[in-house]
Amino acid sequence: MTSALFVLENSWHPIAGDLTGGFTFTLHNLSDDAISSFTVAYTSLTRVTGQRQVTNARFVRRNANFHEFAAPEGFVLAPGASWTFMVDGLHRPAVHRTDGAKSAYVTLADGAHVACAVGDLMLEGRPSEPAPKLLPEGKVTEPYFLQPWPQTLALSEGGDAPVALYLAGGETREEILSVQTIQSLFQRLHSVAHVPFALSPVPGGRRLALAASPELRPSASRLEFTPDLVTLTYGDRAGLQYGLTSLAQLLHGARIDRDTFAFPAQGSIEDAPRYDWRGCHLDVSRQFFPVADVTRLIDILAWFKLNIFHWHLSDDEAWRLEIKAYPELTTVGATRGPDEILLPQLGNGAEPVSGFYSQEDVRAIVAHAGRLGVDVVPEIDIPGHSTATLAVLKELSDGQEAPDSYHSVQGYPNNALNPAIEETYDFVATVFDEMVELFPSPYIHIGGDEVANGSWLASPRARALMEREGLDGTFGLQSYFMKRVQELLSARGRKLAGWNEVAHGGGVAADGTLLMAWEKPEVGIELAREGYDVVMTPGQAYYLDMVQDTAWQEPGASWAGTVPPSHTYAYEAEGAFPEELRPRMKGVQACIWCEHFLNRDYFNHLVFPRLCAVAEAGWTPKANKDWLRFAALAPHAPKL
């Protein structure tokens, strides 16, 4: 039956006395055939609970965000007709149009799966507010296009911008390569713009002199402008590339908007980053990003002087990194579909979806990032968020443990690697052996987040380990696991990075360990008190999947609150850090979690301009930040 065409519409309705409300679904049969004995499956981050109440349908199953319902016994859906059913008993209320079904399909009586078109979640009972304008009209008090804004700036604007900046002569090969690196970066991000640099003299250009200086600290640069010459003095290769990026930005701005921006005639810029860790995370497990998109994002990070790419390569939904010792991880463990071990989640439906990065892909991406001064920090999320791993390596589960003895916050059953199974550490060690050959970063991020309280307590092997080692509950077991993982990393010359929950249950050795405070800002201070180095990445300000306004029609997640660009820009990550703890605060990081990013437009709408705001938080001194200037610059950001 190939002619079937279906549309699933959905709406959320409030229920008196029940804040979570319910869903109303209507399936439209636009095919030429009547159907019966069918089911409809959809994926939604707003999940039904065990207290569900279903009207005019039969509940079949749920797995995390996957839901399946059957039509009533004997029901026939005629061509051109529709079927409506209701589901009450949700785990939270829907508050935005993206909180409903993200994908759907119908399974016919013969077992064939047919895709459904799905629209936005509609709202019953109150107005559906349109999304507002997120940025005000920008205003610059100094007419220079620089983002992030530098430490100090004392410039006077000139007349026409030079045609290009050309090398004055006498440069080293390494300096010329750096110029070409930033030139190529500019051309990739601004493919129709005139290039900023030339290696030989050009009519209408201005000379550019390069000079290394041991007086400048790493990553620092000084730009000096005269009508005939620009001099870039730098502390190291990173400082050289950052200074060249500033020049490319200045020249680009003066060309794209002559009424607002100018190229300096005289003066100077002294610049260096505020923090050493200026990161951006990308989750490629929920949605797979092709290599070209990953390298494009790294280009954007370099343009905004971010220097860490945190690559989230595994989660419940998929394992994305080729491990030659376990090829099934990137076949079975990277594929979701109606007839696969991993069911559809978060936007995929009738057709199986898959994707992974070969080791050749990884080497190319790491090399690309390295040329731009971006360190790639890989993450394999353990012990929780391991549904995809456990689907492949069933020997890492305790067969005596009930299959639904605990559920993660995302609704996955029994999704954490068991610390009592010795083969678990053999698996982790083998993965690390391959990772250290691919990633030169001193850190490997091991996740450690969102292990459900109660995990493993129904496992006889875990309970025996608790008794033998004197461990207290889930988090005592987790700490035992993390300490052994830290030993595996140390033996391979790597340091442990993780989310803030790594510190639970006694944590790990703090010396050399880097933890990311995501749950709330106060967590970062407590981690620093315990001796951990900290990167601040609070969901309330730096999670770029969060919704940007309370309006129903504004897309995004909302569990951490509403995060408009103005809040991300104004947020001070150091916050209430006591002075004596500030050396532990290593920097800031944006996180791009991809449950909501079903297409490129969603990505760009949610990531920009807030990624630019985090870049400025990592680079620009607090006293130099200016919201209206940011609003004038941010719309010109390159996007994915």
Side-chain angles (χ1 to χ4, degrees):
M1 182 174 173
T2 59
S3 63
L5 178 63
F6 301 99
V7 177
L8 184 69
E9 296 185 323
N10 59 147
S11 61
W12 181 83
H13 54 263
I15 300 173
D18 180 359
L19 294 177
T20 65
F23 284 143
T24 300
F25 293 97
T26 300
L27 179 68
H28 300 272
N29 180 6
L30 305 185
S31 76
D32 298 327
D33 302 296
I35 62 171
S36 61
S37 301
F38 64 90
T39 66
V40 60
Y42 68 88
T43 68
S44 173
L45 284 164
T46 307
R47 300 184 294 276
V48 304
T49 68
Q51 286 71 50
R52 63 190 171 269
Q53 295 181 351
V54 183
T55 303
N56 200 34
R58 292 175 292 122
F59 174 77
V60 177
R61 56 178 172 164
R62 180 178 75 82
N63 178 264
N65 306 297
F66 172 90
H67 304 73
E68 189 170 19
F69 293 86
E73 194 73 35
F75 176 75
V76 176
L77 184 59
S82 61
W83 163 55
T84 296
F85 65 99
M86 298 175 64
V87 182
D88 297 340
L90 307 178
H91 85 291
R92 62 173 176 82
V95 291
H96 294 281
R97 65 183 173 93
T98 47
D99 286 338
K102 294 189 172 298
S103 59
Y105 64 90
V106 170
T107 300
L108 303 174
D110 63 1
H113 308 295
V114 185
C116 290
V118 177
D120 287 334
L121 182 67
M122 298 299 177
L123 178 61
E124 300 176 22
R126 65 178 175 84
S128 173
E129 307 95 337
K133 185 177 180 180
L134 296 170
L135 283 176
E137 291 297 322
K139 180 181 179 182
V140 296
T141 55
E142 297 175 278
Y144 304 108
F145 190 96
L146 288 165
Q147 198 171 33
W149 200 252
Q151 278 194 346
T152 63
L153 178 149
L155 299 172
S156 62
E157 57 185 292
D160 293 337
V163 170
L165 302 172
Y166 63 88
L167 295 181
E171 296 80 18
T172 66
R173 178 177 178 273
E174 288 72 21
E175 288 174 331
I176 295 172
L177 285 173
S178 288
V179 172
Q180 190 55 37
T181 294
I182 303 305
Q183 179 94 309
S184 297
L185 171 67
F186 180 88
Q187 289 177 293
R188 292 193 297 272
L189 294 178
H190 306 284
S191 57
V192 299
H194 194 289
V195 293
F197 303 114
L199 303 183
S200 53
V202 295
R206 195 182 302 185
R207 289 186 302 140
L208 171 62
L210 307 175
S213 172
E215 298 178 1
L216 294 180
R217 70 178 179 88
S219 299
S221 66
R222 180 170 59 246
L223 291 168
E224 297 171 286
F225 298 86
T226 70
D228 300 318
L229 178 68
V230 176
T231 302
L232 166 53
T233 308
Y234 60 92
D236 63 357
R237 176 175 172 267
L240 172 59
Q241 293 197 349
Y242 293 144
L244 290 167
T245 302
S246 294
L247 290 172
Q249 290 181 353
L250 284 165
L251 194 48
H252 184 56
R255 290 167 173 165
I256 61 174
D257 187 351
R258 296 182 184 181
D259 295 333
T260 304
F261 303 111
F263 192 82
Q266 296 191 89
S268 64
I269 297 172
E270 301 276 349
D271 210 3
R274 182 179 182 184
Y275 299 117
D276 290 336
W277 187 289
R278 305 177 307 283
C280 178
H281 151 290
L282 179 67
D283 159 28
V284 297
S285 179
R286 277 58 179 258
Q287 315 295 343
F288 180 73
F289 289 73
V291 169
D293 287 352
V294 176
T295 55
R296 170 82 179 183
L297 178 60
I298 291 170
D299 282 348
I300 293 169
L301 304 189
W303 181 248
F304 291 115
K305 302 176 185 175
L306 293 159
N307 66 338
I308 302 292
F309 175 54
H310 173 176
W311 201 2
H312 186 86
L313 287 160
S314 78
D315 214 298
D316 290 305
E317 289 80 2
W319 179 288
R320 302 298 191 190
L321 174 64
E322 181 189 21
I323 301 297
K324 293 185 182 296
Y326 300 102
E328 298 89 350
L329 285 173
T330 45
T331 53
V332 175
T335 303
R336 301 194 298 261
D339 300 315
E340 306 296 332
I341 292 178
L342 298 178
L343 289 170
Q345 300 287 346
L346 304 174
N348 70 284
E351 296 298 324
V353 298
S354 191
F356 70 94
Y357 304 96
S358 71
Q359 294 195 359
E360 290 73 20
D361 293 334
V362 170
R363 290 188 181 93
I365 289 168
V366 169
H368 179 86
R371 288 190 289 272
L372 295 168
V374 176
D375 185 20
V376 179
V377 177
E379 179 185 355
I380 298 300
D381 201 349
I382 53 176
H385 289 281
S386 292
T387 296
T389 304
L390 292 168
V392 173
L393 303 174
K394 300 185 186 302
E395 65 272 19
L396 302 186
S397 298
D398 184 349
Q400 305 170 83
E401 184 179 16
D404 289 324
S405 61
Y406 63 90
H407 289 80
S408 73
V409 68
Q410 288 85 12
Y412 285 95
N414 294 31
N415 74 328
L417 299 176
N418 193 322
I421 296 176
E422 198 62 27
E423 290 82 358
T424 295
Y425 304 100
D426 296 335
F427 163 71
V428 173
T430 301
V431 170
F432 286 166
D433 284 339
E434 297 197 26
M435 290 179 73
V436 297
E437 296 298 320
L438 297 171
F439 299 98
S441 171
Y443 290 102
I444 289 180
H445 199 293
I446 50 74
D449 61 315
E450 296 185 325
V451 173
N453 195 2
S455 297
W456 311 306
L457 299 187
S459 161
R461 295 172 71 172
R463 296 195 69 84
L465 175 63
M466 291 167 61
E467 184 175 350
R468 186 169 67 249
E469 298 290 335
L471 304 175
D472 184 16
T474 292
F475 300 119
L477 284 164
Q478 178 176 323
S479 177
Y480 173 89
F481 175 86
M482 289 297 177
K483 287 172 181 174
R484 291 195 58 179
V485 168
Q486 187 175 47
E487 291 172 359
L488 294 174
L489 286 172
S490 297
R492 290 157 178 80
R494 295 295 191 270
K495 294 185 286 187
L496 185 150
W499 303 108
N500 54 246
E501 295 98 319
V502 168
H504 286 179
V508 298
D511 185 36
T513 298
L514 182 77
L515 298 186
M516 296 180 175
W518 69 273
E519 290 183 289
K520 55 184 179 179
E522 295 81 4
V523 169
I525 298 172
E526 289 308 309
L527 292 173
R529 290 191 200 282
E530 294 172 25
Y532 294 104
D533 289 339
V534 179
V535 169
M536 297 296 285
T537 178
Q540 299 82 1
Y542 291 165
Y543 271 32
L544 305 187
D545 58 318
M546 288 299 115
V547 72
Q548 299 178 86
D549 190 83
T550 57
W552 177 269
Q553 293 180 30
E554 181 65 23
S558 57
W559 60 262
T562 302
V563 186
S566 58
H567 176 64
T568 301
Y569 187 77
Y571 179 76
E572 269 298 303
E574 286 187 14
F577 259 79
E579 192 64 36
E580 68 273 15
L581 295 180
R582 288 194 177 180
R584 292 283 180 199
M585 203 287 231
K586 299 303 180 183
V588 298
Q589 180 170 290
C591 284
I592 304 175
W593 298 101
C594 292
E595 288 92 338
H596 287 278
F597 294 170
L598 303 188
N599 56 56
R600 191 179 301 267
D601 287 339
Y602 266 138
F603 183 99
N604 286 331
H605 178 81
L606 285 162
V607 170
F608 301 100
R610 292 183 295 181
L611 179 61
C612 313
V614 178
E616 194 144 309
W619 187 279
T620 305
K622 178 182 178 182
N624 290 5
K625 293 172 74 173
D626 182 321
W627 169 239
L628 290 181
R629 180 191 65 222
F630 175 84
L633 294 170
H636 299 290
K639 295 179 174 62
L640 196 65

